[in-house]
Amino acid sequence: NAGVTQTPKFQVLKTGQSMTLQCAQDMNHEYMSWYRQDPGMGLRLIHYSVGAGITDQGEVPNGYNVSRSTTEDFPLRLLSAAPSQTSVYFCASSYSSDYGYTFGSGTRLTVV
Amino acid sequence: KNQVEQSPQSLIILEGKNCTLQCNYTVSPFSNLRWYKQDTGRGPVSLTIMTFSENTKSNGRYTATLDADTKQSSLHITASQLSDSASYICVVHKRSNDYKLSFGAGTTVTVRA
C-alpha cells in the first residue's frame, strides 16, 4: 500500500546515545518533513525537505540532523539523545503545499 | 502563544449524538485550513482542506465550516460512532512559499455506547 513508512515504532535510548529514525514514502512526493508531538501541544516541525538534496530547519531543530539523498527517504538523526527528546515523532510527505499531508504511524522514543 | 487554539480540550458524547469542535486561529495571511483525525497510536489522517473562499466542506459525517473574517472554524460530527473516538487537530497553512503549518493541540473526543 502506498504511504509513509516509519521505523522503528518504539525505541528506548540512554542519554548520550545516537540513533536514526527512518522514513520512506512511495508516492513520489517532493516535500517531506519531521514533527514531534508532545502532550498538550500541537505538532512541531523539526526539519523539512522540498526535494532531494534540499533540507531546512523547522521551529525545533536543535539536537537533530537530516539529509535527503533520494526522493523516497528522509532519515532523522539524533546526535546525542537527551531526556527532553522523549516524544512521538512523525514523518509526513506531500505533493505540494496545497495538498493534504500523508503522515507515517509514528515512532515513540523514550530517552532515559 | 499558539497561533491555533482549539476547544474544548476534550469531550465525551454518547453514540449517535452530534458534537461540534472549535478552532480559532491568528495565522495571517491565510492559505488553507485543515482538519485531521488522529487515532490513538497512529498518525494524523486528513479529513478536510478549505481555502479562503470556502465556507463549508463535508467528508461523510464530518462537516467543517470556516469564517475567514473572524478566523474561526468548526468541525461538526453527525450521528457519532464508536470509531469517531480520536483526537481532532486543526491545522492552518500560512500563505507563503513554504510548507510550514501551524497545528492546534487537538480536541480528544470519546464516544461511549
Side-chain angles (χ1 to χ4, degrees):
Chain A
N1 293 335
V4 177
T5 301
Q6 288 185 238
T7 56
K9 290 190 180 299
F10 302 94
Q11 183 71 49
V12 178
L13 289 179
K14 293 182 179 180
T15 298
Q17 286 184 317
S18 63
M19 78 159 294
T20 298
L21 307 185
Q22 301 292 343
C23 175
Q25 53 93 5
D26 58 2
M27 298 170 284
N28 203 33
H29 287 169
E30 289 295 328
Y31 176 75
M32 296 185 74
S33 55
W34 278 101
Y35 293 88
R36 59 177 290 172
Q37 186 175 40
D38 300 296
M41 303 180 67
L43 275 76
R44 292 182 291 168
L45 181 64
I46 303 171
H47 286 285
Y48 67 98
S49 168
V50 297
I54 306 170
T55 63
D56 205 347
Q57 297 180 350
E59 58 182 303
V60 289
N62 292 341
Y64 308 94
N65 273 359
V66 292
S67 60
R68 184 96 179 269
S69 57
T70 67
T71 299
E72 295 78 20
D73 299 300
F74 190 44
L76 178 71
R77 280 182 287 276
L78 279 70
L79 308 175
S80 178
S84 61
Q85 294 178 305
T86 294
S87 186
V88 182
Y89 292 85
F90 289 100
C91 178
S93 73
S94 178
Y95 175 71
S96 80
S97 60
D98 293 330
Y99 284 74
Y101 286 25
T102 300
F103 284 84
S105 58
T107 295
R108 183 174 294 274
L109 175 68
T110 302
V111 182
V112 297
Chain B
K1 186 172 173 20
N2 197 359
Q3 296 186 76
V4 180
E5 298 286 348
Q6 293 186 241
S7 62
Q9 187 174 13
S10 63
L11 65 92
I12 300 172
I13 58 174
L14 292 177
E15 188 178 16
K17 299 297 185 182
N18 305 334
C19 69
T20 300
L21 317 180
Q22 300 292 339
C23 174
N24 296 337
Y25 63 93
T26 59
V27 176
S28 182
F30 167 85
S31 176
N32 59 66
L33 185 144
R34 314 163 186 214
W35 282 95
Y36 283 84
K37 178 187 180 186
Q38 185 176 20
D39 293 316
T40 301
R42 308 296 299 271
V45 175
S46 180
L47 291 175
T48 62
I49 299 177
M50 289 184 292
T51 62
F52 181 87
S53 60
E54 295 176 295
N55 299 118
T56 185
K57 181 164 282 190
S58 293
N59 180 355
R61 294 179 296 101
Y62 301 102
T63 300
T65 64
L66 173 64
D67 186 335
D69 292 331
T70 62
K71 294 184 169 59
Q72 295 179 326
S73 177
S74 65
L75 181 70
H76 186 76
I77 304 175
T78 302
S80 60
Q81 300 177 359
L82 297 178
S83 59
D84 292 329
S85 294
S87 178
Y88 293 85
I89 303 172
C90 176
V91 186
V92 181
H93 184 210
K94 187 175 181 178
R95 192 190 319 143
S96 65
N97 291 327
D98 63 42
Y99 290 75
K100 295 175 183 175
L101 307 175
S102 296
F103 288 79
T107 293
T108 300
V109 174
T110 302
V111 181
R112 291 191 173 159

